[in-house]
Amino acid sequence: SGGSSDGENAVNVQVVVRCRPLNKEEKKTQQPLALCCDALRSEVRIANASKHLSRTFTFDRVYSSHASQEDVYENTMTSIIEEVLQGFNCTVFAYGQTGSGKTFTMEGGRNKS
């Protein structure tokens, strides 16, 4: 985002992280959580229990696995869409390894109908 911000202080790139919930297979095999998302501090902590290591990363915004599609849309996408409607070029780029939750974030959970 950044087209309509005030000149030199414009933010052209923001990094937003959404932590996905465990999938059915991970729940079934009782996989331990490898990361902790702190939405209030905009931090993600990655832990490797077997090596007793952890690292913390800070982002522009962090959504926990409990965040709704509406929360993500309202707090992340609304301003981008407003800028597109004002004529600015904007991009939303979903990046991550296979199974990391890109489709879940962009489309939401799959409803059985």
Side-chain angles (χ1 to χ4, degrees):
S1 145
S4 61
S5 297
D6 58 338
E8 292 179 27
N9 296 326
V11 175
N12 293 318
V13 176
Q14 291 186 26
V15 180
V16 178
V17 174
R18 183 180 194 186
C19 300
R20 68 164 175 80
L22 294 176
N23 62 35
K24 289 178 187 177
E25 185 64 28
E26 291 164 336
K27 288 178 184 176
K28 181 179 172 184
T29 59
Q30 299 181 350
Q31 294 291 317
L33 289 175
L35 57 90
C36 176
C37 296
D38 186 337
L40 295 175
R41 296 176 62 157
S42 295
E43 292 180 345
V44 174
R45 184 173 47 82
I46 300 173
N48 183 333
S50 65
K51 294 184 179 180
H52 304 289
L53 298 172
S54 71
R55 294 205 51 196
T56 301
F57 300 91
T58 304
F59 298 93
D60 294 301
R61 186 177 295 266
V62 171
Y63 294 97
S64 76
S65 61
H66 303 291
S68 69
Q69 287 297 97
E70 292 79 16
D71 289 340
V72 175
Y73 178 83
E74 288 295 324
N75 295 307
T76 303
M77 298 303 301
T78 302
S79 62
I80 295 171
I81 291 170
E82 288 173 6
E83 290 181 8
V84 167
L85 294 174
Q86 293 172 8
F88 294 98
N89 294 323
C90 299
T91 300
V92 175
F93 183 72
Y95 178 81
Q97 71 184 52
T98 301
S100 64
K102 299 176 299 293
T103 302
F104 178 83
T105 294
M106 298 302 282
E107 297 180 3
R110 300 194 181 211
N111 296 330
K112 296 179 181 177
S113 39

